[in-house]
mmCIF file of all heavy atoms in Angstrom:
data_model
loop_
_atom_site.group_PDB
_atom_site.id
_atom_site.type_symbol
_atom_site.label_atom_id
_atom_site.label_comp_id
_atom_site.label_asym_id
_atom_site.label_seq_id
_atom_site.Cartn_x
_atom_site.Cartn_y
_atom_site.Cartn_z
ATOM 1 N N THR U 1 6.947 -2.521 -10.338
ATOM 2 C CA THR U 1 7.590 -3.289 -11.400
ATOM 3 C C THR U 1 7.808 -4.735 -10.974
ATOM 4 O O THR U 1 7.546 -5.676 -11.735
ATOM 5 C CB THR U 1 8.941 -2.652 -11.780
ATOM 6 O OG1 THR U 1 8.717 -1.318 -12.245
ATOM 7 C CG2 THR U 1 9.626 -3.439 -12.881
ATOM 8 N N GLY U 2 8.295 -4.915 -9.756
ATOM 9 C CA GLY U 2 8.513 -6.276 -9.261
ATOM 10 C C GLY U 2 7.230 -7.078 -9.214
ATOM 11 O O GLY U 2 7.198 -8.255 -9.595
ATOM 12 N N ILE U 3 6.151 -6.446 -8.782
ATOM 13 C CA ILE U 3 4.873 -7.155 -8.635
ATOM 14 C C ILE U 3 4.214 -7.410 -9.984
ATOM 15 O O ILE U 3 3.791 -8.529 -10.285
ATOM 16 C CB ILE U 3 3.925 -6.344 -7.722
ATOM 17 C CG1 ILE U 3 4.502 -6.288 -6.297
ATOM 18 C CG2 ILE U 3 2.529 -6.956 -7.712
ATOM 19 C CD1 ILE U 3 3.808 -5.307 -5.383
ATOM 20 N N PHE U 4 4.135 -6.360 -10.833
ATOM 21 C CA PHE U 4 3.364 -6.468 -12.068
ATOM 22 C C PHE U 4 4.149 -7.089 -13.228
ATOM 23 O O PHE U 4 3.555 -7.702 -14.117
ATOM 24 C CB PHE U 4 2.849 -5.095 -12.492
ATOM 25 C CG PHE U 4 1.873 -4.490 -11.518
ATOM 26 C CD1 PHE U 4 2.027 -3.197 -11.071
ATOM 27 C CD2 PHE U 4 0.816 -5.237 -11.028
ATOM 28 C CE1 PHE U 4 1.136 -2.640 -10.163
ATOM 29 C CE2 PHE U 4 -0.083 -4.700 -10.115
ATOM 30 C CZ PHE U 4 0.080 -3.396 -9.677
ATOM 31 N N VAL U 5 5.470 -6.931 -13.231
ATOM 32 C CA VAL U 5 6.265 -7.464 -14.337
ATOM 33 C C VAL U 5 6.843 -8.834 -13.973
ATOM 34 O O VAL U 5 6.636 -9.816 -14.687
ATOM 35 C CB VAL U 5 7.388 -6.484 -14.742
ATOM 36 C CG1 VAL U 5 8.229 -7.083 -15.880
ATOM 37 C CG2 VAL U 5 6.803 -5.142 -15.175
ATOM 38 N N ILE U 6 7.567 -8.912 -12.877
ATOM 39 C CA ILE U 6 8.188 -10.186 -12.489
ATOM 40 C C ILE U 6 7.167 -11.130 -11.873
ATOM 41 O O ILE U 6 7.165 -12.327 -12.137
ATOM 42 C CB ILE U 6 9.369 -9.935 -11.532
ATOM 43 C CG1 ILE U 6 10.462 -9.139 -12.266
ATOM 44 C CG2 ILE U 6 9.926 -11.245 -10.988
ATOM 45 C CD1 ILE U 6 11.614 -8.730 -11.398
ATOM 46 N N GLY U 7 6.282 -10.598 -11.036
ATOM 47 C CA GLY U 7 5.203 -11.395 -10.482
ATOM 48 C C GLY U 7 5.466 -11.924 -9.087
ATOM 49 O O GLY U 7 6.611 -12.147 -8.686
ATOM 50 N N ARG U 8 4.377 -12.090 -8.336
ATOM 51 C CA ARG U 8 4.458 -12.599 -6.966
ATOM 52 C C ARG U 8 4.747 -14.099 -6.931
ATOM 53 O O ARG U 8 4.348 -14.842 -7.815
ATOM 54 C CB ARG U 8 3.142 -12.348 -6.228
ATOM 55 C CG ARG U 8 2.844 -10.906 -5.910
ATOM 56 C CD ARG U 8 1.549 -10.768 -5.129
ATOM 57 N NE ARG U 8 0.382 -11.135 -5.920
ATOM 58 C CZ ARG U 8 -0.359 -12.199 -5.698
ATOM 59 N NH1 ARG U 8 -0.060 -13.052 -4.719
ATOM 60 N NH2 ARG U 8 -1.413 -12.456 -6.450
ATOM 61 N N ILE U 9 5.424 -14.510 -5.865
ATOM 62 C CA ILE U 9 5.592 -15.933 -5.583
ATOM 63 C C ILE U 9 4.230 -16.520 -5.230
ATOM 64 O O ILE U 9 3.464 -15.922 -4.470
ATOM 65 C CB ILE U 9 6.571 -16.142 -4.410
ATOM 66 C CG1 ILE U 9 7.986 -15.720 -4.805
ATOM 67 C CG2 ILE U 9 6.569 -17.594 -3.938
ATOM 68 C CD1 ILE U 9 8.968 -15.728 -3.656
ATOM 69 N N LYS U 10 3.902 -17.676 -5.773
ATOM 70 C CA LYS U 10 2.643 -18.320 -5.448
ATOM 71 C C LYS U 10 2.614 -18.648 -3.961
ATOM 72 O O LYS U 10 3.523 -19.279 -3.430
ATOM 73 C CB LYS U 10 2.487 -19.604 -6.267
ATOM 74 C CG LYS U 10 1.129 -20.267 -6.087
ATOM 75 C CD LYS U 10 0.982 -21.484 -6.986
ATOM 76 C CE LYS U 10 -0.398 -22.115 -6.804
ATOM 77 N NZ LYS U 10 -0.577 -23.313 -7.670
ATOM 78 N N GLY U 11 1.581 -18.178 -3.279
ATOM 79 C CA GLY U 11 1.478 -18.384 -1.840
ATOM 80 C C GLY U 11 1.820 -17.149 -1.039
ATOM 81 O O GLY U 11 1.590 -17.104 0.170
ATOM 82 N N ILE U 12 2.369 -16.121 -1.699
ATOM 83 C CA ILE U 12 2.639 -14.847 -1.051
ATOM 84 C C ILE U 12 1.564 -13.863 -1.494
ATOM 85 O O ILE U 12 1.454 -13.535 -2.678
ATOM 86 C CB ILE U 12 4.035 -14.294 -1.412
ATOM 87 C CG1 ILE U 12 5.127 -15.221 -0.877
ATOM 88 C CG2 ILE U 12 4.215 -12.877 -0.867
ATOM 89 C CD1 ILE U 12 5.197 -15.305 0.628
ATOM 90 N N ASP U 13 0.759 -13.414 -0.554
ATOM 91 C CA ASP U 13 -0.341 -12.512 -0.897
ATOM 92 C C ASP U 13 0.150 -11.114 -1.245
ATOM 93 O O ASP U 13 -0.350 -10.496 -2.186
ATOM 94 C CB ASP U 13 -1.329 -12.442 0.273
ATOM 95 C CG ASP U 13 -2.050 -13.756 0.479
ATOM 96 O OD1 ASP U 13 -2.913 -14.099 -0.343
ATOM 97 O OD2 ASP U 13 -1.736 -14.456 1.462
ATOM 98 N N ARG U 14 1.114 -10.619 -0.495
ATOM 99 C CA ARG U 14 1.661 -9.287 -0.761
ATOM 100 C C ARG U 14 3.172 -9.293 -0.500
ATOM 101 O O ARG U 14 3.604 -9.650 0.603
ATOM 102 C CB ARG U 14 1.018 -8.236 0.153
ATOM 103 C CG ARG U 14 -0.490 -8.076 -0.034
ATOM 104 C CD ARG U 14 -0.816 -7.342 -1.314
ATOM 105 N NE ARG U 14 -2.257 -7.190 -1.487
ATOM 106 C CZ ARG U 14 -2.984 -6.203 -0.961
ATOM 107 N NH1 ARG U 14 -2.390 -5.284 -0.210
ATOM 108 N NH2 ARG U 14 -4.272 -6.135 -1.162
ATOM 109 N N PRO U 15 3.983 -8.908 -1.473
ATOM 110 C CA PRO U 15 5.428 -8.778 -1.222
ATOM 111 C C PRO U 15 5.699 -7.675 -0.198
ATOM 112 O O PRO U 15 4.860 -6.792 0.030
ATOM 113 C CB PRO U 15 5.981 -8.407 -2.603
ATOM 114 C CG PRO U 15 4.966 -8.918 -3.566
ATOM 115 C CD PRO U 15 3.646 -8.710 -2.884
ATOM 116 N N ALA U 16 6.871 -7.717 0.401
ATOM 117 C CA ALA U 16 7.257 -6.747 1.422
ATOM 118 C C ALA U 16 8.624 -6.156 1.102
ATOM 119 O O ALA U 16 9.479 -6.831 0.525
ATOM 120 C CB ALA U 16 7.288 -7.413 2.803
ATOM 121 N N LEU U 17 8.818 -4.907 1.492
ATOM 122 C CA LEU U 17 10.111 -4.248 1.320
ATOM 123 C C LEU U 17 10.912 -4.415 2.601
ATOM 124 O O LEU U 17 10.436 -4.082 3.691
ATOM 125 C CB LEU U 17 9.915 -2.765 1.007
ATOM 126 C CG LEU U 17 11.174 -1.981 0.634
ATOM 127 C CD1 LEU U 17 11.739 -2.477 -0.695
ATOM 128 C CD2 LEU U 17 10.865 -0.492 0.552
ATOM 129 N N MET U 18 12.152 -4.914 2.469
ATOM 130 C CA MET U 18 12.961 -5.238 3.636
ATOM 131 C C MET U 18 14.322 -4.551 3.591
ATOM 132 O O MET U 18 15.249 -5.020 2.933
ATOM 133 C CB MET U 18 13.156 -6.751 3.736
ATOM 134 C CG MET U 18 13.857 -7.195 5.025
ATOM 135 S SD MET U 18 14.251 -8.957 5.011
ATOM 136 C CE MET U 18 15.579 -8.990 3.796
ATOM 137 N N PRO U 19 14.480 -3.436 4.314
ATOM 138 C CA PRO U 19 15.811 -2.830 4.453
ATOM 139 C C PRO U 19 16.593 -3.487 5.578
ATOM 140 O O PRO U 19 16.037 -4.252 6.381
ATOM 141 C CB PRO U 19 15.481 -1.375 4.811
ATOM 142 C CG PRO U 19 14.190 -1.470 5.550
ATOM 143 C CD PRO U 19 13.430 -2.628 4.941
ATOM 144 N N THR U 20 17.886 -3.191 5.636
ATOM 145 C CA THR U 20 18.763 -3.678 6.694
ATOM 146 C C THR U 20 19.240 -2.490 7.520
ATOM 147 O O THR U 20 19.740 -1.511 6.969
ATOM 148 C CB THR U 20 19.975 -4.416 6.100
ATOM 149 O OG1 THR U 20 19.511 -5.514 5.313
ATOM 150 C CG2 THR U 20 20.888 -4.942 7.190
ATOM 151 N N LEU U 21 19.071 -2.576 8.840
ATOM 152 C CA LEU U 21 19.421 -1.469 9.736
ATOM 153 C C LEU U 21 20.542 -1.890 10.683
ATOM 154 O O LEU U 21 20.650 -3.056 11.053
ATOM 155 C CB LEU U 21 18.191 -1.047 10.555
ATOM 156 C CG LEU U 21 16.949 -0.633 9.758
ATOM 157 C CD1 LEU U 21 15.793 -0.347 10.711
ATOM 158 C CD2 LEU U 21 17.238 0.575 8.894
ATOM 159 N N PRO U 22 21.364 -0.921 11.102
ATOM 160 C CA PRO U 22 22.434 -1.234 12.070
ATOM 161 C C PRO U 22 21.849 -1.443 13.455
ATOM 162 O O PRO U 22 20.712 -1.050 13.740
ATOM 163 C CB PRO U 22 23.303 0.035 12.027
ATOM 164 C CG PRO U 22 22.332 1.122 11.687
ATOM 165 C CD PRO U 22 21.354 0.508 10.724
ATOM 166 N N THR U 23 22.621 -2.095 14.320
ATOM 167 C CA THR U 23 22.216 -2.271 15.713
ATOM 168 C C THR U 23 23.362 -1.852 16.629
ATOM 169 O O THR U 23 24.453 -1.513 16.172
ATOM 170 C CB THR U 23 21.844 -3.746 16.017
ATOM 171 O OG1 THR U 23 23.047 -4.540 16.016
ATOM 172 C CG2 THR U 23 20.870 -4.291 15.002
ATOM 173 N N THR U 24 23.105 -1.911 17.918
ATOM 174 C CA THR U 24 24.149 -1.578 18.889
ATOM 175 C C THR U 24 25.270 -2.601 18.886
ATOM 176 O O THR U 24 26.348 -2.335 19.425
ATOM 177 C CB THR U 24 23.543 -1.488 20.299
ATOM 178 O OG1 THR U 24 22.800 -2.693 20.569
ATOM 179 C CG2 THR U 24 22.605 -0.293 20.420
ATOM 180 N N ASN U 25 25.026 -3.750 18.322
ATOM 181 C CA ASN U 25 26.060 -4.779 18.161
ATOM 182 C C ASN U 25 26.767 -4.524 16.831
ATOM 183 O O ASN U 25 26.166 -4.688 15.769
ATOM 184 C CB ASN U 25 25.429 -6.170 18.164
ATOM 185 C CG ASN U 25 26.443 -7.277 17.966
ATOM 186 O OD1 ASN U 25 27.631 -7.038 17.730
ATOM 187 N ND2 ASN U 25 25.981 -8.518 18.046
ATOM 188 N N PRO U 26 28.033 -4.120 16.841
ATOM 189 C CA PRO U 26 28.724 -3.796 15.591
ATOM 190 C C PRO U 26 28.870 -4.974 14.643
ATOM 191 O O PRO U 26 29.172 -4.796 13.470
ATOM 192 C CB PRO U 26 30.100 -3.293 16.056
ATOM 193 C CG PRO U 26 30.286 -3.896 17.410
ATOM 194 C CD PRO U 26 28.919 -3.960 18.011
ATOM 195 N N ASN U 27 28.632 -6.185 15.153
ATOM 196 C CA ASN U 27 28.754 -7.378 14.322
ATOM 197 C C ASN U 27 27.411 -7.906 13.821
ATOM 198 O O ASN U 27 27.348 -8.981 13.236
ATOM 199 C CB ASN U 27 29.468 -8.486 15.113
ATOM 200 C CG ASN U 27 30.875 -8.090 15.523
ATOM 201 O OD1 ASN U 27 31.631 -7.574 14.714
ATOM 202 N ND2 ASN U 27 31.206 -8.314 16.788
ATOM 203 N N ASN U 28 26.351 -7.144 14.070
ATOM 204 C CA ASN U 28 25.035 -7.628 13.656
ATOM 205 C C ASN U 28 24.168 -6.476 13.163
ATOM 206 O O ASN U 28 24.423 -5.304 13.465
ATOM 207 C CB ASN U 28 24.330 -8.348 14.811
ATOM 208 C CG ASN U 28 23.219 -9.257 14.327
ATOM 209 O OD1 ASN U 28 23.211 -9.693 13.172
ATOM 210 N ND2 ASN U 28 22.270 -9.555 15.186
#
């Protein structure tokens, strides 16, 4: 939906999915 309806940013060949993961540093 993001790619076909909203559309890619010009200059970005393929969008990427970016999750956020915890680390051993509780503040990062």
Side-chain angles (χ1 to χ4, degrees):
T1 300
I3 294 169
F4 296 131
V5 179
I6 296 175
R8 290 182 293 111
I9 293 173
K10 186 176 181 180
I12 295 295
D13 292 288
R14 298 286 180 85
L17 187 66
M18 187 187 71
T20 301
L21 303 176
T23 71
T24 52
N25 179 355
N27 299 314
N28 200 23

